[in-house]
Amino acid sequence: MKTPLSDRLAAAAFLVSIVVLSVVYGGVAAVRGWFPAPQIELAHDTAVDLALFWRNDLGLAPTRHLVPAPDGGPDRGYSRAPEAEPTPGFVLVTSLGDGGEAPSHVVQMFDSAGREVHRWPIRYDRFDDEMSPRNVVLHGMEVFEDGSLAVTFDVGNAIARIDPCGTPIWVVNGNFHHSIERDGEGALVTWRDETIVHLDEDTGEPLSALDIRRDIIPADSGEQRGYLELRAVTLEEVGDRMEYVEDPFHPNDAEPLSAEMAEAFPMFAPGDILFSLREINLIAVADPETGRLKWWRHGPWIRQHDPDFQPDGTITVYDNGTATGRSLIRRIDPVDDSLSVVFEGGDEVPFYSWRRGKHQVLPGGNILLTESEQGRVLEVDAEGRLVWEREVPWDDDRNLVVTEARHVPETFFDDGLPDCAPRDADPSGSDAG
């Protein structure tokens, strides 16, 4: 018996209404984060991550740590410009280990002639048994006069101080990330999640904490909200509640103002914290006791890293210039917000890292640059001319990501260059007795 037309139309209308309602609900769920939108997004992100990095996660190749080499070819490495004079001292460079029984990461130290003079093995599995060493990225690095290092990791779960041979001196677990700086008063300053923390450099013991949401945003009677709550869900979606999108700040640097440099910054006090929030293009200086901002600026830098106090009373910033094709080192005077460009790349000296990156203004005015997304470290002089460069090759076409390079003077270490030789060994090879 043939189904009446009215019944068929009713069934079709019902199916259409189900489809329309599903589409409408899906759109609203995606905006408001209702089920199953978060689960679908997580599944999608996981699938994309696996497709990109399955070779890394199976231990076949460290694809999470590789970037295309700027020029490629087998002869990459260290090169020096003719007649150029490198700044005397040593340069420490973060890198990846060799896999297998070798350390998961390393820090190499080179002299001013480009020769390796020491390396610290960084065995992440000695610090944490939750994260796979092949999935974490060595990022923050601080060096001490006794030859020890402090290190942090992206997507990791630890901050650690190690001796020159890589043996842990202390380990503190937690999501410590990006930069590490010494305050000159016996503390390390770094990020744990969205909190600036001070740790005792000898023991790792937590000393103080300054949290963005808990301490900085509500400070100064709430007057600072407008500078910080930029990446939030719109009021039409949440009413009078403030809800943030994922990773609204992405903090990536925190540097204390040292007592030695404080005289150049009369508007600040020793211990004030200069910090960087990548997602809102913000650098600012905060009172660590109250969270009150003493100075701040949004841009013109784009997704910046590594603002540094300078002895002349200015602040330099690594402007990544994401999606512009060029990175810059900018200088800003916090007295009047006047801006200048210290270094920008060009045809002679290309320079671009769309994410990550560090810089260090050296004695004499040269600049040490970490071009992370090219796997390259370079020194340029005050006129922007190349002094030397070092790529860290993995194969003919790819370099290893370099997250930080650090210069120290020739007289930095108390007892000469770090080494791992047994202190009581007899040079002849016989037992010392």
Side-chain angles (χ1 to χ4, degrees):
M1 182 177 179
K2 188 175 182 180
T3 304
L5 177 62
S6 59
D7 290 349
R8 296 200 303 272
L9 290 175
F14 176 75
L15 291 174
V16 169
S17 67
I18 292 296
V19 171
V20 170
L21 287 173
S22 298
V23 171
V24 171
Y25 177 83
V28 174
V31 171
R32 296 182 178 268
W34 294 348
F35 176 85
Q39 291 75 17
I40 293 174
E41 182 178 7
L42 178 61
H44 172 267
D45 291 346
T46 301
V48 170
D49 188 78
L50 287 172
L52 290 173
F53 301 121
W54 64 271
R55 292 175 61 83
N56 181 95
D57 297 348
L58 292 177
L60 301 176
T63 50
R64 293 184 185 273
H65 308 268
L66 299 178
V67 290
D71 298 315
D75 299 325
R76 306 186 315 280
Y78 176 82
S79 63
R80 178 171 162 180
E83 310 301 324
E85 288 296 329
T87 302
F90 304 102
V91 174
L92 288 74
V93 178
T94 62
S95 188
L96 192 70
D98 300 323
E101 297 301 318
S104 53
H105 305 84
V106 295
V107 173
Q108 298 170 273
M109 184 166 70
F110 304 93
D111 65 14
S112 56
R115 298 169 299 205
E116 182 178 316
V117 293
H118 185 68
R119 64 169 54 195
W120 289 262
I122 314 294
R123 296 180 173 88
Y124 183 80
D125 56 1
R126 293 185 174 185
F127 314 144
D128 170 41
D129 58 7
E130 294 184 9
M131 307 294 294
S132 169
R134 68 172 65 100
N135 290 340
V136 302
V137 177
L138 172 63
H139 200 151
M141 169 180 63
E142 182 60 281
V143 59
F144 296 84
E145 291 81 358
D146 65 355
S148 62
L149 286 182
V151 289
T152 60
F153 304 85
D154 289 347
V155 202
N157 185 44
I159 183 173
R161 183 172 175 179
I162 61 171
D163 71 12
C165 303
T167 302
I169 298 171
W170 53 257
V171 177
V172 180
N173 290 113
N175 183 31
F176 297 93
H177 56 91
H178 286 89
S179 67
I180 312 173
E181 299 287 345
R182 299 169 73 182
D183 71 350
E185 305 294 331
L188 296 173
V189 178
T190 189
W191 285 98
R192 184 187 62 222
D193 298 311
E194 294 177 348
T195 302
I196 299 168
V197 293
H198 287 66
L199 304 176
D200 185 292
E201 63 183 30
D202 292 326
T203 66
E205 177 186 359
L207 302 175
S208 66
L210 182 69
D211 186 84
I212 297 175
R213 303 194 197 197
R214 183 194 66 212
D215 303 316
I216 297 179
I217 288 177
D220 203 14
S221 301
E223 293 295 322
Q224 301 179 171
R225 291 184 60 185
Y227 314 130
L228 296 160
E229 293 182 326
L230 302 183
R231 298 193 74 238
V233 178
T234 65
L235 292 180
E236 287 77 10
E237 294 160 3
V238 298
D240 60 358
R241 295 176 292 108
M242 186 62 72
E243 291 188 6
Y244 294 99
V245 300
E246 183 180 0
D247 192 18
F249 307 114
H250 197 94
N252 59 27
D253 194 81
E255 175 180 324
L257 178 61
S258 67
E260 293 77 13
M261 206 177 289
E263 186 176 348
F265 295 89
M267 71 291 290
F268 306 140
D272 283 350
I273 304 293
L274 170 64
F275 65 92
S276 167
L277 303 182
R278 187 192 74 179
E279 291 304 290
I280 57 176
N281 299 330
L282 176 78
I283 64 171
V285 176
D287 182 328
E289 300 296 328
T290 66
R292 183 177 69 85
L293 298 184
K294 295 185 175 182
W295 175 84
W296 61 92
R297 175 76 182 243
H298 289 283
W301 36 80
I302 302 171
R303 297 171 73 85
Q304 78 292 331
H305 287 73
D306 193 29
D308 290 340
F309 290 117
Q310 298 299 339
D312 64 355
T314 64
I315 294 168
T316 53
V317 186
Y318 192 115
D319 178 1
N320 289 77
T322 303
T324 68
R326 66 169 190 164
S327 298
L328 309 169
I329 304 301
R330 296 185 184 269
R331 186 185 302 274
I332 184 167
D333 189 333
V335 173
D336 58 10
D337 279 4
S338 58
L339 286 159
S340 61
V341 174
V342 180
F343 174 75
E344 61 180 319
D347 292 339
E348 293 295 319
V349 188
F351 177 56
Y352 178 56
S353 186
W354 66 274
R355 65 175 176 176
R356 302 188 178 115
K358 299 285 180 69
H359 79 292
Q360 184 181 1
V361 179
L362 304 176
N366 287 8
I367 307 173
L368 180 65
L369 300 166
T370 307
E371 195 183 28
S372 299
E373 295 304 311
Q374 308 291 340
R376 177 171 172 250
V377 178
L378 60 155
E379 181 179 339
V380 297
D381 66 18
E383 286 72 45
R385 295 171 300 208
L386 182 69
V387 177
W388 60 264
E389 63 180 336
R390 178 183 299 279
E391 293 187 43
V392 186
W394 172 258
D395 56 24
D396 283 356
D397 302 312
R398 295 174 294 179
N399 287 343
L400 289 164
V401 171
V402 180
T403 52
E404 182 163 4
R406 180 77 65 91
H407 176 276
V408 296
E410 293 173 299
T411 58
F412 180 80
F413 296 103
D414 290 336
D415 298 317
L417 291 179
D419 68 74
C420 288
R423 297 299 180 185
D424 58 351
D426 186 330
S428 68
S430 61
D431 292 336

